[in-house]
Amino acid sequence: MTSAVVASFIKLMKNADPVIIEELRKLRSDINRHNRLYYVDDRPELSDAQYDRLFDRLLQIEKDHPELITPDSPSQRVGAPPSREFERVGHRIPMLSLQKVTTDEEFADFDRRVTEGVESDDEMEYTTEPKLDGLAVELVYENGLFVLGSTRGDGATGENVTVNLRTIGSIPLRLSDDVASRYPRLEVRGEVIIRKSAFERLNKFLEEQNLVPLANPRNAAAGSLRQLDSSVTASRPLLFYAYGISATDLPDLDSQSAAIDLLRQEGFKLNEHIAVVKGRSGVEREFQRLQQLRPSLDYNIDGMVVKVNRFDFQSRLGQISRAPRWAVAWKFAAELAETVLEDVEFSVGRTGAITPVAKLKPVRVAGVTVSNASLHNEDELNQLDIRIGDRVVIRRAGDVIPEVVSVIVEHRPRGARKVKFPKSCPSCGMGITRLEGEAAYRCLNSGCPAQLEGKLFHFASKGGFDIEGLGDKLARQLIERMLVKDPSDLFLLTRDQLLTLDLMADKRAENLLAAIDRSRHTELPRIIYALGIIGVGETAARLLAGQFGSLEKLILATRETLEDIAGIGPVIAENTYDYFNHEGNRTMLLKMREGGVVFPTYADEAVSRKLAGKSFVITGTLSQPRDSFKKRIKQQGGTVSGSVSPKTDYLLCGESPGSKRDKAEKLSVKILTEQQFERLLQ
Ligand code: IVH
């Protein structure tokens, strides 16, 4: 600071009202205390609203007296939001995903399945809808009022973003009295998007402000909606397009097209290219039309959603695991682009698998700039016969990592160099092996720094401990400097240790320590996911947490109990068993606990025991093996027996049932079709 600046600063300080200074001091200390109660001790004393009031007052004073802002004010904590995390909300009816088709033939199969499924002789009637590439949300209206809005999340549970959704002008806050009285609760689903043109403007603005531009309109929409400060959301040009209503048992509403009409009438925005068509030919025509239209649209679409129009047909068709049988996403072909291969690097993943990565001359494809693409494995390298300097064709489809599809051999420059697969691990230098039945080479050194980096990065990732600020670069440094040998060491890091790292100033170290501290109290599924057991993603982690309820019980699980869980296959069961029976891993879990990580218990509402005490008998041919139904019934607390008796509560009855059905009828046992069974579980 120059002396003139110092002088004016002192003058300002002198001018400041001592009452304000005292209020500020008290506010900061109170907020810090409540932060701690909330994040660290898990026993908040204030409601969110009360907390927000304190915070708002702090922001107000600091706005009026910017000279009084100190770096340790809670307002300066990076990532400390003006409101806290989003609350989680369960979807009453799960938000499903869609099966995909990409060709006429695949669609024809779908058409055949549904037509046969409802035993109809007529051509099926469908709605065809552009598949908007944004972010799915659900809006709940009670007695006509918009009361709750949530993101799709994992389909079962999402985040409460009501406040942010309220800022979107295309969402009606109130429905007509007529609809309100007919449907006291209405759940509307749709997609939040940003137009391409608005996205370009937004990015230009961010760049002017020296802020990081956003990758594509979908990321921009997601990022804007998930702002903890809703005034930021309000400033973003978000649009909501409705595409349906979640229940199909509403009075006077018998089809998707009727639902669409109702939504339009109630003031929702619906896509202008939705159509109602008959049969395969009608759908194919619409697909061609959309494909031609696509470049001229001011929003991204990645395909067309085809839905069986009649709700009674939809109910009859039901769903398989996570997708309905009555709808399908017909995706546009992946986009291709041409560029130059500048180099090939070999990366070592957290499981030790060695993947060749193509370093490309940056090229735009399907809306994003691509400079890396996967070359998968050695076989792929050999098959492509790719050389450094080659012109290559790359493909990017949806969220999938871009890949090299072919080499343009005619354009091969002189001196193009062959790519050699390494003989040893590029990270630790130890030998690598190709395990039987696997395409990948793996480094089997459990102390390999690249693997540790990958494990650490995964551990701290969003789905895991969610430690903000712990990215791949920092993970690398922590491993290199031997400050961290396994993820549990994170909880022993000190400020002084962090300050020895490159680019680590006081504030960053403090933020990181605070983030680590917050993560000590997290949910059981996240902890399980973070461990990085091969094959255990977020879904499997939730299943394991739901089944065992605590880490202590999971650690002691036998192979058989693991295999019995619906949704957990034998390989994942084996990996999980091996993981927890490995001494090093058990030691690490103990160290985590010593480092202050709380291993919470977990009661998953989605896996709550809906069938507790109910006894089932299964008969006839069902859409899946009988065992899978057995598992699910048991998981929900029910029992399954081989013959119908007066104690039987339900007979789950498939096609060609035989004598069990007669007996059930005689004993007045309730008989369920597969669809009715699914509904019982919803
Ligand atoms: S219907 C069970 N309709 O696509 C029906 N989804 O995989 C499921 N999407 O992220 C959704 N446009 O948000 C439906 N007209 C449309 C859609 C649409 C885009 C998205 C949806 C979800 C994904 C479904």
Side-chain angles (χ1 to χ4, degrees), residues 121-346:
D121 297 329
D122 298 330
E123 278 195 315
M124 184 60 61
E125 188 169 73
Y126 295 108
T127 63
T128 56
E129 310 173 14
K131 186 166 186 300
L132 302 174
D133 192 13
L135 164 86
V137 299
E138 174 172 84
L139 315 177
V140 179
Y141 290 82
E142 274 176 4
N143 301 315
L145 278 186
F146 172 49
V147 292
L148 178 65
S150 54
T151 59
R152 173 170 185 270
D154 60 14
T157 326
E159 288 174 322
N160 182 339
V161 286
T162 315
V163 188
N164 296 2
L165 286 168
R166 271 181 199 289
T167 68
I168 300 180
S170 48
I171 294 183
L173 297 180
R174 177 187 277 284
L175 307 179
S176 69
D177 290 346
D178 171 42
V179 166
S181 64
R182 261 195 295 158
Y183 312 118
R185 183 182 164 103
L186 194 70
E187 296 169 358
V188 178
R189 292 187 175 169
E191 197 90 351
V192 170
I193 65 153
I194 281 188
R195 289 210 171 99
K196 292 186 205 163
S197 53
F199 166 75
E200 300 293 341
R201 278 197 298 279
L202 175 60
N203 257 358
K204 217 151 135 212
F205 167 79
L206 291 176
E207 268 165 38
E208 278 162 16
Q209 307 275 314
N210 269 332
L211 297 169
V212 191
L214 299 155
N216 55 43
R218 181 161 45 83
N219 284 349
S224 302
L225 189 64
R226 298 187 66 259
Q227 289 287 333
L228 290 165
D229 180 351
S230 62
S231 67
V232 177
T233 312
S235 74
R236 301 279 170 86
L238 296 174
L239 283 178
F240 174 77
Y241 277 97
Y243 58 62
I245 288 176
S246 67
T248 52
D249 53 358
L250 299 173
D252 305 329
L253 211 59
D254 59 5
S255 65
Q256 168 68 2
S257 52
I260 289 171
D261 290 343
L262 179 104
L263 291 171
R264 244 196 212 115
Q265 197 189 311
E266 290 298 311
F268 287 93
K269 196 177 176 64
L270 279 111
N271 190 275
E272 58 275 31
H273 300 295
I274 296 179
V276 182
V277 300
K278 278 215 156 41
R280 265 179 67 184
S281 57
V283 172
E284 280 163 16
R285 220 173 13 245
E286 273 305 302
F287 186 73
Q288 300 303 335
R289 191 175 73 88
L290 265 190
Q291 206 161 17
Q292 274 169 16
L293 216 56
R294 185 183 187 195
S296 67
L297 296 175
D298 194 16
Y299 45 84
N300 283 332
I301 60 176
D302 54 358
M304 183 170 91
V305 181
V306 187
K307 301 177 186 165
V308 168
N309 194 24
R310 279 173 55 169
F311 281 164
D312 57 341
F313 284 175
Q314 289 189 6
S315 310
R316 227 186 290 169
L317 289 162
Q319 67 184 67
I320 12 166
S321 63
R322 311 198 60 216
R325 281 212 194 78
W326 45 264
V328 78
W330 192 342
K331 304 273 273 195
F332 297 130
E335 275 189 46
L336 302 179
E338 223 182 281
T339 184
V340 175
L341 179 73
E342 294 184 329
D343 200 359
V344 173
E345 284 178 6
F346 293 86

